[in-house]
Amino acid sequence: MFPGILGLVAIGLLLYFFARKAQRTHVLGDTQSGLTIDEKYNLERRDRQETVDRLLDKIARKGYGSLSEKEKQLLKEHSSMLN
């Protein structure tokens, strides 16, 4: 009986931590209001970095000309914000 209880507690803790992580990485919506200013900044910076990385990968595969005007503008804006 004792190992069963420990197993349930362990599963409960894992679910709690995974749910908390999902909540903290969610950028939009009501869950963001529970984040600190630093956490919001870091999430936004990570999202900008991921966008820049995705666009640079596309440039490496297909060339700069393959970017749409919107993608070129995003690359310019996000790149300047990351420096």
Side-chain angles (χ1 to χ4, degrees), residues 20-83:
R20 182 72 179 143
K21 182 178 179 183
Q23 180 186 18
R24 293 180 77 186
T25 58
H26 186 68
V27 177
L28 300 174
D30 295 333
T31 58
Q32 189 176 18
S33 62
L35 299 177
T36 67
I37 293 172
D38 288 339
E39 290 171 326
K40 288 178 187 178
Y41 171 81
N42 289 333
L43 288 173
E44 291 169 0
R45 182 174 173 85
R46 186 197 68 208
D47 289 342
R48 285 191 300 271
Q49 184 65 55
E50 288 174 356
T51 299
V52 168
D53 290 345
R54 181 181 53 80
L55 293 173
L56 291 175
D57 287 343
K58 184 175 181 179
I59 292 170
R61 286 190 323 270
K62 300 179 183 179
Y64 184 76
S66 68
L67 297 180
S68 67
E69 289 302 317
K70 183 178 178 179
E71 289 173 325
K72 290 176 184 177
Q73 186 64 30
L74 274 174
L75 182 62
K76 182 178 179 181
E77 290 172 5
H78 288 340
S79 294
S80 65
M81 294 175 86
L82 292 172
N83 291 325

Side-chain angles (χ1 to χ4, degrees), residues 1-31:
M1 185 164 123
F2 188 67
I5 293 173
L6 285 179
L8 290 175
V9 169
I11 290 172
L13 287 172
L14 286 173
L15 291 175
Y16 170 78
F17 287 116
F18 282 119
R20 182 72 179 143
K21 182 178 179 183
Q23 180 186 18
R24 293 180 77 186
T25 58
H26 186 68
V27 177
L28 300 174
D30 295 333
T31 58

